Amino acid sequence: EKKYPVNRFFILTRTCSVGNVLPMDGHTMKRHRKAAGLTQAELAALLGTHQPQVCIWEQRGSNDIRTIQRIAEALGLPARVLLLDALDD
């Protein structure tokens, strides 16, 4: 598993004008989705997308801050939780 040497404070305070941040690990997303008691299809419905897209995010992750924010909101989490969990894994 690839680790990214990065300052956590920088991640949490950086404005994301380019739309990219440290990648969200798909396993982290999956763990939080299951903890919320949601299926991939249910999460997809909350996000306005389709189940195969959720599967792709869980397999590949995402580095798009808008996507990460939408996922976190649907899971009832601040986006930084998904990013910090990715750092701690």
Side-chain angles (χ1 to χ4, degrees):
E1 182 173 312
K2 193 172 188 178
K3 294 289 183 179
Y4 297 90
V6 73
N7 180 314
R8 288 176 189 228
F9 181 77
F10 177 78
I11 292 172
L12 297 177
T13 59
R14 178 178 172 220
T15 57
C16 301
S17 59
V18 293
N20 290 320
V21 296
L22 181 75
M24 174 192 68
D25 179 63
H27 298 290
T28 301
M29 176 186 163
K30 183 176 184 176
R31 186 173 63 247
H32 284 288
R33 174 184 58 79
K34 287 186 171 192
L38 296 171
T39 66
Q40 287 182 343
E42 291 168 334
L43 180 57
L46 290 172
L47 295 169
T49 190
H50 301 283
Q51 179 273 330
Q53 181 60 57
V54 172
C55 183
I56 290 169
W57 287 327
E58 288 186 355
Q59 291 174 356
R60 300 181 191 162
S62 177
N63 69 341
D64 181 74
I65 190 62
R66 291 172 218 64
T67 299
I68 296 168
Q69 287 172 331
R70 287 178 47 228
I71 293 167
E73 184 177 304
L75 294 173
L77 302 167
R80 69 178 182 273
V81 170
L82 296 177
L83 297 173
L84 288 176
D85 281 1
L87 284 174
D88 292 336
D89 285 346

